């Protein structure tokens, strides 16, 4: 009996662990290191209608426990993703979650319409939270009305469930979450990166060519947990949680906060085997903590104790 | 194959001002062949720094299952690495990237190796392999100043070797390109690694030889997944075609990418 399988809109996950968008490319690189079939799902790199080069380099900087990136949504464009990257991934029995990005509503709608028809794309992740592009992206993620309207439009054309990826760069994350739920979102993914910057001691200038970038890694974990904790109590759609996950223990903590599955981003760069390692370690950790199934952990931080009583019977 | 190996420190010593030579052993050596590739090093188990550091493979010793890296102690990452003592382990991911192709130089031909500062190390394994093949090697090594000079004798044992220093405290005062331009022999292949201005100057030199340049860029993953290390291609300098320094490079043929 599996103790890790999770059913979410559009997604039958053999386990709740998947690489986060932008941290795994389209899977090819990591496929040289391990069998991608072990993964619960794969969130592929953001796709825009046209190819994008992204920002000038340097695109990464560091801070203790975290990194800043300003990649700028570099990707080969919709046509190539659909004709080359996704077909290549079909050799794996792993549902793909396609990260959809753009500068205008039309961009998002166009990508969603086409990419949701790919046979192995089981859900979309609407990226309304990229801090590294000048137009679109985060603008949609910080205004509840815009977020809701965009969700509606994408829902109308998508053939698969739509998850909306929330930005932490807002003063009230719950209002955005509720707005996209109203707009018809089937689920949420959170969090994207936090806007930050680093300066060079010698020159006094920003290290990143883009000046600012998105902060990720262990330093953002408490922020992610707090936001998932707040949002999960206020919406009725599932959350795929992310932000600084490095271990099986971190995964359980995200479930406690209210997540139903998780994604691992930055840690793939430091330990390329992190996803399979976590998947291996989870059953043992569940035993140690006294759970039969990982789903028992979801929302444990705020759910009434009685709601769990039947599990112990 | 790329593997993640906990290598053992065989020895570590300072060989010039701020320059350290670290010899490591581990099964990763079985995967090392081509010169000019690099390893991605996690210098601490902790979170500061969190990302790995890319360092070129300077020498491979299959018999003893050891490899050498040479690096400049610079920021936090390389400073922590410089503290590693014999017997301790270092977390290594690699070997990564596309290195220098020895096949580009034919037996009896002349290869000129041009290194600047911490660009010198990967040229050493290259020189060994070229000489073993029967290629004539001429090395031109540039440093800031006398105190920064290293590996001159090692290169000299493999072929004619010139050293330049910017301040003239050792060897010939000036830049490696001064020597390169004045060589009597016509090189068949030029291999180079060093600071970007040096690589640009070599590219501009329009030598009749095939020219290969090893680039540096800040990296995230080191394996091609994060798009941190991209550069434009020469024929499409503002478009969306790109090369990744970590997987397509770090070695490129001159004219392939915009530097
Ligand atoms: C393919 C490749 C091969 C290299 N080979 C060598 C070598 O053989 N010997 C050697 O001394 N150095 C080499 N370098 C440079 C080396 O990676 C940096 O000096 C090192 O990362 C500095 O880390 P730090 O923490 O000490 O410095 P910091 O300045 O504190 O580092 C901050 C960040 O910037 C990055 N960074 C800083 N300088 C460079 C640089 N020049 N290139 C890429 N990233 C940089 C670091 O990785 C880190 O992410 C190589 C770089 C690349 C890309
Ligand atoms: C280099 C890099 C590139 C990223 N690219 C994307 C992207 O294309 N689309 C997206 O929705 N999120 C992107 N993200 C955000 C991650 O998917 C994730 O939400 C965030 O990094 C937090 O998780 P982590 O701390 O585990 O990395 C990127 C993150 C990094 C570090
Ligand atoms: S360092 Fe990640 S793609 Fe090159």
């Amino acid at each position: 009996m599996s103790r890790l399988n999770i059913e979410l809109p559009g997604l039958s996950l053999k386990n709740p662990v998947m690489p986060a968008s932008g941290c795994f490319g389209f899977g090819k690189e990591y496929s040289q290191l391990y069998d991608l079939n072990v993964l619960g799902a794969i969130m592929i790199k953001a796709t825009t209608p046209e190819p994008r080069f992204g920002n000038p380099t340097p695109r990464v900087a560091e801070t203790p426990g975290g990194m800043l990136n300003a990649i700028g949504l570099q990707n080969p464009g919709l046509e190539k993703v659909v004709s080359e990257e996704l077909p290549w991934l079909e050799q794996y029995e792993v549902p793909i979650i396609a990260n959809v990005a753009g500068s205008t509503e039309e961009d998002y709608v166009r990508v969603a319409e086409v990419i949701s028809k790919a046979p192995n794309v089981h859900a979309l992740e609407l990226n309304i939270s990229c801090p590294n592009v000048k137009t679109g992206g985060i603008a949609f993620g910080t205004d509840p009305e815009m977020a809701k309207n965009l969700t509606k439009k994408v829902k109308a054309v998508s053939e698969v469930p739509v998850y909306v990826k929330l930005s932490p760069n807002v003063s009230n994350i719950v209002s955005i979450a509720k707005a996209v739920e109203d707009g018809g979102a089937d689920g949420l993914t959170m969090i994207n990166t936090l806007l930050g910057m680093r300066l060079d001691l010698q020159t006094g200038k920003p290290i990143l060519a883009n000046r600012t970038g998105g902060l990720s890694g262990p330093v953002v974990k408490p922020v992610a947990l707090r936001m998932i904790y707040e949002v999960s109590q206020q919406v009725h759609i599932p959350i795929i949680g992310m932000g600084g996950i490095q271990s099986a223990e971190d995964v359980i903590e995200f479930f406690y906060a209210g997540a139903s599955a998780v994604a691992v981003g930055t840690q793939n760069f430091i330990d390329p085997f992190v996803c399979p390692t976590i998947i291996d370690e989870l059953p043992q950790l569940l035993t140690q903590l006294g759970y039969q199934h990982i789903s028992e952990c979801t929302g444990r931080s705020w759910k009434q104790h009685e709601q769990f009583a039947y599990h112990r019977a | 194959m790329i593997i993640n190996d906990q290598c053992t420190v065989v020895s570590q010593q300072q060989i010039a001002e701020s320059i350290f030579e670290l010899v490591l052993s581990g099964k990763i050596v079985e995967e090392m062949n081509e010169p000019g590739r690099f390893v991605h090093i996690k210098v601490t188990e902790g979170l500061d720094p969190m990302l790995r550091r890319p360092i070129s493979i300077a020498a491979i010793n299959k018999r003893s299952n050891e490899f050498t890296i040479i690096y400049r102690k610079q920021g936090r990452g390389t400073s922590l690495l410089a503290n590693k003592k014999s017997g301790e382990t270092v977390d290594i991911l690699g070997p990564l990237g596309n290195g220098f192709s020895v096949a580009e130089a034919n037996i009896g031909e002349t290869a000129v190796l041009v290194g600047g500062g911490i660009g010198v190390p990967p040229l050493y394994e290259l020189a060994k392999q070229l000489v073993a093949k029967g290629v004539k090697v001429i090395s031109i090594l540039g440093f800031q100043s006398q105190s920064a000079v290293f590996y001159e004798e090692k290169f000299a044992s493999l072929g004619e070797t010139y050293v330049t220093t910017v301040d003239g405290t050792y060897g010939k005062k000036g830049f490696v390109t001064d020597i390169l331009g004045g060589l009597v022999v016509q090189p068949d292949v030029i291999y180079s690694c060093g600071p970007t201005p040096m690589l640009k100057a070599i590219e501009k030199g329009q030598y009749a030889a095939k020219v290969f340049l090893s680039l540096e860029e800040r990296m995230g993953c080191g394996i091609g997944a994060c798009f941190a290390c991209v550069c434009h291609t020469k024929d499409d300098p503002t478009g969306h075609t790109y090369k990744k320094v970590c997987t397509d490079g770090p070695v490129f043929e001159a004219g392939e990418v915009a530097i």
Side-chain angles (χ1 to χ4, degrees):
Chain A
M1 185 201 73
S2 171
R3 306 170 68 184
L4 299 179
N5 64 312
I6 294 277
E7 295 295 321
L8 295 178
L11 301 166
S12 272
L13 307 174
K14 49 185 167 290
N15 67 68
V17 180
M18 60 193 87
S21 178
C23 303
F24 208 72
F26 295 91
K28 283 205 179 95
E29 293 76 19
Y30 289 88
S31 75
Q32 304 163 42
L33 302 177
Y34 62 85
D35 180 2
L36 302 187
N37 280 316
V38 304
L39 298 169
I42 296 172
M43 291 169 145
I44 56 173
K45 176 80 192 153
T47 302
T48 54
E50 302 303 327
R52 278 180 65 99
F53 181 81
N55 292 320
T57 57
R59 293 177 169 187
V60 293
E62 267 185 292
T63 192
M67 74 179 272
L68 290 163
N69 88 81
I71 307 296
L73 298 182
Q74 178 159 27
N75 77 92
L78 179 60
E79 199 186 306
K80 205 163 164 201
V81 171
V82 170
S83 66
E84 288 176 28
E85 307 291 356
L86 285 168
W88 182 85
L89 278 163
E90 275 180 43
Q91 63 186 294
Y92 298 101
E93 293 283 312
V94 178
I96 305 300
I97 302 175
N99 191 270
V100 174
S103 313
T104 61
E105 270 188 2
E106 293 70 47
D107 283 354
Y108 283 98
V109 167
R110 174 140 173 256
V111 175
E113 190 168 9
V114 175
I115 214 165
S116 67
K117 292 192 173 77
N120 51 345
V121 168
H122 292 211
L124 302 186
E125 180 182 42
L126 203 55
N127 181 1
I128 56 167
S129 43
C130 180
N132 298 324
V133 289
K134 289 195 178 57
T135 50
I138 204 163
F140 291 103
T142 49
D143 178 329
E145 248 343 90
M146 277 174 84
K148 179 174 163 180
N149 287 335
L150 183 67
T151 307
K152 266 190 194 157
K153 292 213 161 107
V154 168
K155 268 299 282 182
V157 299
S158 176
E159 309 216 341
V160 295
V162 176
Y163 292 67
V164 179
K165 186 161 187 177
L166 302 186
S167 169
N169 303 301
V170 294
S171 48
N172 186 347
I173 186 105
V174 172
S175 67
I176 304 271
K178 283 182 145 168
V180 302
E181 184 181 31
D182 271 358
D186 300 282
L188 301 171
T189 66
M190 56 194 289
I191 56 176
N192 209 318
T193 53
L194 282 133
L195 201 51
M197 82 190 299
R198 284 298 308 273
L199 306 174
D200 184 288
L201 197 60
Q202 302 301 324
T203 64
K205 298 282 185 279
I207 292 175
L208 295 170
N210 188 49
R211 297 193 291 278
T212 61
L215 179 64
S216 63
V219 283
V220 310
K221 192 179 94 174
V223 178
L225 288 169
R226 187 266 295 176
M227 291 186 156
I228 293 167
Y229 174 81
E230 287 177 358
V231 169
S232 62
Q233 297 180 63
Q234 300 289 327
V235 299
H236 306 282
I237 48 179
I239 297 173
I240 302 176
M242 64 199 74
I245 293 176
Q246 292 190 296
S247 64
E249 285 79 5
D250 289 341
V251 172
I252 299 296
E253 208 177 338
F254 273 74
F255 271 70
Y256 285 166
S260 298
V262 294
V264 181
T266 305
Q267 188 63 17
N268 288 292
F269 306 155
I270 298 139
D271 173 10
F273 299 96
V274 60
C275 289
T277 303
I278 288 179
I279 292 163
D280 269 1
E281 288 174 0
L282 272 172
Q284 160 107 47
L285 182 59
L286 288 176
T287 303
Q288 256 176 47
L289 295 170
Y291 300 107
Q292 285 300 318
H293 195 276
I294 192 160
S295 57
E296 294 160 35
C297 302
T298 297
R300 187 149 183 107
S301 59
W302 51 264
K303 278 187 187 160
Q304 295 301 312
H305 233 61
E306 298 78 76
Q307 287 178 264
F308 289 99
Y310 67 94
H311 286 304
R312 289 198 302 263
Chain B
M1 200 176 69
I2 299 170
I3 65 167
N4 187 194
D5 197 10
Q6 305 300 319
C7 293
T8 307
V9 176
V10 176
S11 66
Q12 161 127 272
Q13 65 179 81
Q14 190 168 350
I15 55 171
E17 193 178 333
S18 302
I19 304 288
F20 290 75
E21 180 197 62
L22 176 60
V23 181
L24 295 160
S25 76
K27 64 179 188 313
I28 196 169
V29 177
E30 291 166 24
E31 310 293 332
M32 294 180 175
N33 292 304
E34 193 186 36
R37 302 186 75 191
F38 66 99
V39 289
H40 218 18
I41 307 179
K42 180 94 178 89
V43 298
T44 167
E45 279 178 21
L47 294 175
D48 182 19
M50 191 179 71
L51 294 176
R52 291 175 178 272
R53 296 293 187 262
I55 304 283
S56 304
I57 298 164
I60 305 165
N61 188 336
K62 292 269 186 191
R63 248 180 307 119
S64 60
N65 215 30
E66 293 169 4
F67 71 102
T68 303
I69 57 170
I70 297 165
Y71 60 94
R72 180 160 59 216
K73 179 175 163 180
Q74 183 174 308
R76 176 145 177 96
T78 46
S79 299
L80 287 170
L81 193 58
N83 291 337
K84 297 277 182 188
K85 307 263 179 315
S86 302
E88 291 182 6
T89 55
V90 184
D91 180 333
I92 305 277
L93 182 70
L96 304 177
N98 267 310
F100 293 111
S101 170
V102 173
E104 293 289 343
N106 296 315
I107 299 172
E109 287 188 340
T110 302
V112 176
L113 279 45
V114 188
I118 52 162
V120 168
L123 299 177
Y124 180 57
E125 177 64 28
L126 173 64
K128 285 199 305 176
Q129 293 195 20
L130 287 170
V131 168
K133 178 178 175 178
V135 175
K136 181 172 179 244
V137 170
I138 299 174
S139 304
I140 309 172
L141 315 175
F143 300 93
Q144 278 300 320
S145 152
Q146 178 176 23
S147 58
V149 177
F150 62 91
Y151 265 45
E152 183 191 5
E153 345 56 69
K154 297 225 182 202
F155 280 92
S157 74
L158 295 166
E160 205 174 313
T161 298
Y162 302 88
V163 173
T164 66
T165 52
V166 178
D167 63 3
T169 46
Y170 190 82
K172 187 165 187 295
K173 181 174 164 54
F175 295 104
V176 286
T177 38
D178 304 340
I179 305 263
L180 182 60
L183 285 180
V184 192
V185 256
Q186 209 30 263
D188 297 291
V189 192
I190 298 173
Y191 298 98
S192 184
C193 183
T196 307
M198 185 191 103
L199 300 180
K200 275 188 177 154
I202 291 172
E203 195 176 55
K204 273 221 192 89
Q206 305 266 326
Y207 301 98
K210 280 181 277 188
V211 178
F212 296 91
L213 308 171
S214 184
L215 269 55
E216 280 185 3
E217 188 52 79
R218 281 187 178 233
M219 290 185 180
C221 65
I223 63 170
C226 74
F227 289 89
C229 67
V230 298
C231 54
H232 285 284
T233 54
K234 195 105 187 176
D235 53 12
D236 185 19
T238 53
H240 53 74
T241 49
Y242 64 88
K243 294 280 175 185
K244 291 174 189 160
V245 172
C246 70
T247 46
D248 299 313
V251 177
F252 295 97
E253 184 156 13
E256 202 178 344
V257 295
I259 51 174

